[in-house]
Amino acid sequence: MFIISAEFRDKLEVKASLEKVRGFLFDLENFARLMPEIESIRTDAKGITNWTIAVEIPIVGRLRQSFRLEPEEISDTEIIWRPAAGEKENLLRYTVLLMEKSADITLVQISQKVELRRNKARDLHTLAGVAGEALITKEMTKRVSHLIKEFLKKAKKKVES
């Protein structure tokens, strides 16, 4: 089995009410608009949301994948999306925990885990076997971290304005 994984975790304070922050982060269109390299986010008639992401990986080149997600927990203080039932290859888990520090300051804890599973490296990309799991995982982790940090910087600015 050829497995690539990347994980990101961070916390930040946003100078806005919990309701405003939650509303912004729950609206997936904000991700499509503000996160680099997300090509699209669409929800089908069955409620499954498809995130299509394309990233540049050294040696491999452009890697484009779609992730089928469904909500696991949506509450006032938690937003959790998990891989759709039956998904076995492209796994994405996105979690946001919100804590009200005061009426106008919200602490946001965000994490995202991405895992790509294939029987053989070439099932992912023709050059994946040359690059290897370790290099692709390292580069995917860098890219995921960069993408989410860019999104958070833009989202914070937008929500606080």
Side-chain angles (χ1 to χ4, degrees):
M1 180 70 68
F2 190 80
I3 299 174
I4 304 303
S5 62
E7 194 165 348
F8 176 84
R9 293 177 194 269
D10 202 1
K11 292 180 188 176
L12 74 146
E13 282 189 7
V14 179
K15 294 176 185 166
S17 70
L18 187 140
E19 293 78 21
K20 186 175 182 181
V21 173
R22 183 196 177 285
F24 187 87
L25 293 174
F26 184 69
D27 183 353
L28 296 178
E29 290 301 313
N30 289 320
F31 284 89
R33 279 193 302 275
L34 299 178
M35 189 179 290
E37 300 181 10
I38 288 191
E39 291 184 352
S40 66
I41 298 177
R42 305 219 187 287
T43 303
D44 66 21
K46 294 180 182 178
I48 302 298
T49 301
N50 296 289
W51 293 36
T52 301
I53 303 169
V55 296
E56 287 293 327
I57 303 294
I59 299 173
V60 173
R62 193 153 185 83
L63 187 60
R64 183 177 185 265
Q65 298 294 314
S66 290
F67 299 86
R68 296 172 17 93
L69 302 174
E70 60 190 7
E72 177 177 310
E73 175 75 34
I74 306 296
S75 70
D76 290 344
T77 59
E78 290 182 280
I79 302 170
I80 303 173
W81 291 84
R82 68 169 181 238
E87 183 59 53
K88 300 206 183 319
E89 288 190 334
N90 293 348
L91 309 172
L92 175 75
R93 183 173 184 83
Y94 165 73
T95 304
V96 174
L97 302 174
L98 304 168
M99 184 173 56
E100 186 176 66
K101 290 189 81 175
S102 69
D104 60 349
I105 297 178
T106 303
L107 179 64
V108 178
Q109 182 177 319
I110 189 166
S111 67
Q112 186 167 341
K113 181 169 172 81
V114 178
E115 194 169 285
L116 304 174
R117 299 177 182 173
R118 300 296 187 275
N119 287 327
K120 298 175 186 145
R122 72 174 174 263
D123 294 342
L124 179 64
H125 191 281
T126 55
L127 296 175
V130 173
E133 286 180 358
L135 175 67
I136 298 173
T137 291
K138 178 182 168 193
E139 293 301 322
M140 281 284 289
T141 298
K142 280 187 205 174
R143 291 305 302 154
V144 165
S145 294
H146 172 74
L147 296 175
I148 297 174
K149 285 178 181 178
E150 281 297 306
F151 168 75
L152 290 173
K153 183 170 76 174
K154 292 175 185 177
K156 181 176 177 168
K157 184 177 178 181
K158 188 116 175 126
V159 172
E160 289 181 346
S161 63

